[in-house]
């Protein structure tokens, strides 16, 4: 099967197909569904396990048999790309913004109680 045929097959099966280059290696992946992602979060032992599960589920090319042989930063970078393109971002900026919002809510709540 040619690369074009393979790409068309993936597009038929998954809709959008994405590409990222990490450490001079090309990776092609699909989005993760919300239900699928929630199930992964439920069974993941920790963040590294979650990253690996996400990569195993969504990576279309290349096929990676042994994730222990992959550079340490690849699963993290690839899983971030998958999350971002799936609309599930867990970047530091998002976390910081959420923390700021929660702190502001607490300040307003405390001011209201003390008045």
């Amino acid at each position: 099967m040619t690369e074009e045929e393979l790409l068309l097959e993936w597009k038929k099966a998954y809709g959008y197909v994405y590409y990222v280059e990490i450490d001079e290696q090309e990776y092609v992946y699909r989005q993760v569904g919300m239900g699928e992602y929630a199930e992964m979060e439920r069974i993941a032992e920790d963040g590294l396990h979650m990253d690996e599960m996400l990569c195993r589920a969504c990576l279309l090319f290349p096929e990676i048999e042994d994730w222990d042989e992959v550079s340490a930063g690849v699963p993290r970078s690839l899983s971030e790309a998958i999350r971002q393109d799936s609309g599930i971002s867990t970047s530091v900026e998002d976390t910081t913004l959420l923390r700021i919002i929660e702190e502001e809510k607490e300040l307003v709540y405390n001011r209201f109680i003390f008045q």
Side-chain angles (χ1 to χ4, degrees), residues 2-13:
T2 67
E3 287 181 17
E4 289 177 15
E5 291 171 332
L6 192 55
L7 186 59
L8 286 173
E9 185 177 308
W10 288 334
K11 285 185 176 185
K12 284 180 187 175

Side-chain angles (χ1 to χ4, degrees), residues 43-61:
I43 62 175
E45 297 167 4
D46 56 28
L48 295 174
H49 187 227
M50 178 65 183
D51 290 342
E52 188 176 317
M53 283 193 311
L54 192 56
C55 292
R56 283 182 189 272
C58 297
L59 183 65
L60 302 172
F61 176 84

